[in-house]
Amino acid sequence: MAGAHQKNHDYHIIDPSPWPLLASIGAFILALGGIGYMRYLSGGSFKIFGLELANPWIFLIGLAIILYTMFGWWSDTIKEGREGHHTRVVSLHLRYGMIMFIASEVMFFAAWFWAFFDASLFPGEAIQAARAQYTGGVWPPQGIEVLDPWHLPLYNTVILLLSGTTVTWAHHALLHNDRKGLIYGLVLTVLLGVLFSFVQGYEYAHAPFAFKDSIYGATFFMATGFHGFHVLVGTIFLLVCLFRALAGGFTPQHHFGFEAAAWYWHFVDVVWLFLFFSIYIWGGWGAPIAHG
């Protein structure tokens, strides 16, 4: 009977895990808490079975459960890899999963690009009287001063392109078992990611328009803001890879965690290039540029 449980295949059957159930519970609490938090900010009420949910605490509890689940689930995945369960077939399926995730992110950004191009290409749409009223039938809308694309946006473009080269350097160093090159490349990439976020935060603080001012501000901040969030996520992703590299993790043969982070970072770079050329340059063409 001892040999009855001997593994003779390339697949990995995971042990019973609490993470899917806990993730579902956390997502449900997070959704309810998000609604309640928005009602709380607007001064409204949100009651279910007589319980007042219009407060920030339920949202924070749901967020804490999600973050804990992410930490625990991914820690188990890393442990499985160290124990040799990430066989050739399992590794291939992990790559398929990451590819599908990035594909879903592409469609996510396609929605924001769609909103921006719909508003900018048809600012005087006859069937949308409110749009023509607010834009004046032109794009950028009348009265809007845009950001200079050759100032901070260009600076951030250079930062992200440079970070793409440093993460590639780190990957190349890992493939050649150069631990110092791997660590130096990751450190530079993380620092560049942090720098990008600070520059974007400064840009937002000094933007001459607000989210609620016009359709221009709404589409601008939704597209660039979600990209900024993805830069933050990618920076954390690479920071975790840096900690793992410092602890001796990753080998030239097994390093999917780092490879997935590099794929994600390159995706963030490509999205920014589309944002830079379509929103900052083309989308603001002909409008007065805000100074100071």
Side-chain angles (χ1 to χ4, degrees):
M1 294 296 293
H5 300 287
Q6 183 177 358
K7 183 175 179 179
N8 57 1
H9 54 79
D10 288 330
Y11 296 89
H12 173 49
I13 308 301
I14 63 174
D15 296 329
S17 172
W19 306 123
L21 176 61
L22 192 59
S24 301
I25 295 173
F28 178 73
I29 296 175
L30 185 68
L32 282 181
I35 298 171
Y37 192 21
M38 287 185 282
R39 296 303 299 270
Y40 169 79
L41 293 175
S42 63
S45 177
F46 179 55
K47 292 184 178 181
I48 295 181
F49 300 120
L51 297 176
E52 179 58 68
L53 303 182
N55 61 74
W57 297 109
I58 298 176
F59 173 79
L60 294 175
I61 291 172
L63 180 62
I65 294 174
I66 291 295
L67 292 177
Y68 175 72
T69 302
M70 293 166 66
F71 177 82
W73 204 336
W74 288 334
S75 296
D76 284 353
T77 302
I78 293 172
K79 180 181 178 182
E80 291 165 5
R82 289 175 176 170
E83 294 174 349
H85 296 301
H86 289 177
T87 63
R88 181 182 60 84
V89 173
V90 173
S91 297
L92 179 63
H93 291 174
L94 289 173
R95 284 169 169 79
Y96 284 160
M98 190 65 193
I99 291 172
M100 293 301 294
F101 170 70
I102 292 177
S104 71
E105 292 286 88
V106 170
M107 300 311 297
F108 175 83
F109 277 102
W112 303 121
F113 279 108
W114 185 290
F116 176 81
F117 282 115
D118 178 66
S120 58
L121 291 173
F122 307 102
E125 184 68 46
I127 62 175
Q128 300 192 43
R131 176 185 297 181
Q133 176 184 350
Y134 282 106
T135 64
V138 295
W139 191 269
Q142 292 179 349
I144 289 290
E145 290 185 342
V146 301
L147 295 166
D148 185 358
W150 310 114
H151 188 216
L152 294 180
L154 179 62
Y155 184 52
N156 261 349
T157 301
V158 174
I159 290 175
L160 274 191
L161 291 178
L162 182 59
S163 71
T165 63
T166 55
V167 76
T168 302
W169 167 34
H171 191 195
H172 183 269
L174 175 57
L175 292 176
H176 291 79
N177 206 24
D178 178 7
R179 306 297 300 184
K180 287 186 177 180
L182 167 64
I183 293 172
Y184 290 157
L186 280 173
V187 168
L188 287 175
T189 307
V190 169
L191 291 177
L192 289 169
V194 172
L195 180 59
F196 177 94
S197 296
F198 273 109
V199 172
Q200 189 174 50
Y202 180 86
E203 177 187 84
Y204 279 9
H206 294 81
F209 48 84
F211 183 93
K212 62 181 180 180
D213 285 347
S214 67
I215 191 173
Y216 180 86
T219 54
F220 173 88
F221 283 112
M222 288 301 291
T224 60
F226 268 116
H227 176 269
F229 173 74
H230 282 71
V231 170
L232 177 63
V233 171
T235 303
I236 296 173
F237 202 168
L238 290 167
L239 185 62
V240 172
C241 290
L242 174 60
F243 290 151
R244 292 183 61 189
L246 290 171
F250 303 128
T251 66
Q253 296 76 28
H254 297 283
H255 56 270
F256 173 70
F258 171 76
E259 196 172 7
W263 289 357
Y264 187 85
W265 196 251
H266 289 310
F267 160 74
V268 168
D269 287 352
V270 172
V271 171
W272 175 257
L273 291 177
F274 277 100
L275 287 171
F276 177 66
F277 285 107
S278 62
I279 294 182
Y280 284 99
I281 298 179
W282 179 83
W285 195 268
I289 295 176
H291 297 284

